[in-house]
Amino acid sequence: APASASSRAVGPASTERAGLTSAGTVMDGAARSVLSVRGAGPYRIGARLQALQEAGLIGWVAPPQECDVVFTGVTGEWLGVLILGFRAGRLVEVGTATAPPLSPAGASVGTSWSQLEDIYGRRGRLIYNNDGQQAYVVRIGSRVELYTEHPIRGGVGYFQAGLANFVLRNFMGESVC
């Protein structure tokens, strides 16, 4: 059976054939509920906004911000779950305020700071921006997983992953140009 738009990847990491990623991970069932530094489902870091739109995977596009940055919503099984960030037409960030999805290590929105420490150990660390907001960052090469505070209750309220030079700079209030 042909792959549906919601199960096919679009972009540089779209090496999926017969439901397998380049890392050999099966993309059926629970695997679709994983958000990693590679992206989530068909939303792969580096994918072109235009290609995702043509595939019917983008639901809305917010007005552009400085440096050709736009945020979008998605369609299909990820509708209401993911927010995407694009810079110069390329996907640089995938984020969520829901659980699932989970990180490959099992962290998600709702995870406490101490649970993040237990999950990631020395691979991650707490950081603060100039506004005093706390986040937990896990760096994986040139990409990061970033867990930010919930505005009402303790622990993670937003989980995002993508290029470090976008995700971290944005959190720190620095230019993402």
Side-chain angles (χ1 to χ4, degrees), residues 16-169:
E16 285 83 1
R17 292 186 319 275
L20 297 178
T21 68
S22 59
T25 305
V26 176
M27 291 300 291
D28 295 320
R32 288 192 183 130
S33 294
V34 172
L35 170 55
S36 78
V37 295
R38 293 182 180 171
Y43 306 99
R44 312 313 285 173
I45 299 299
R48 291 191 175 278
L49 174 57
Q50 182 177 349
L52 292 169
Q53 288 173 310
E54 290 170 357
L57 297 170
I58 300 296
W60 54 264
V61 178
Q65 299 177 6
E66 71 175 58
C67 304
D68 198 20
V69 171
V70 296
F71 289 92
T72 73
V74 302
T75 62
E77 66 187 285
W78 294 97
L79 177 68
V81 175
L82 298 179
I83 300 285
L84 308 179
F86 293 84
R87 179 176 53 198
R90 294 283 193 167
L91 184 60
V92 292
E93 172 186 299
V94 179
T96 188
T98 69
L102 304 174
S103 73
S108 69
V109 168
T111 301
S112 71
W113 303 116
S114 63
Q115 287 171 317
L116 286 172
E117 292 282 340
D118 290 343
I119 291 168
Y120 291 106
R122 295 170 46 123
R123 295 178 293 159
R125 64 185 175 96
L126 284 172
I127 61 172
Y128 296 86
N129 65 17
N130 290 336
D131 294 329
Q133 295 173 316
Q134 177 175 287
Y136 191 86
V137 64
V138 180
R139 188 154 191 137
I140 302 165
S142 64
R143 299 177 182 192
V144 294
E145 293 176 4
L146 186 71
Y147 302 88
T148 54
E149 293 181 284
H150 192 280
I152 299 170
R153 59 175 155 59
V156 175
Y158 197 72
F159 164 34
Q160 60 205 93
L163 298 181
N165 69 9
F166 183 86
V167 174
L168 282 179
R169 284 181 182 169

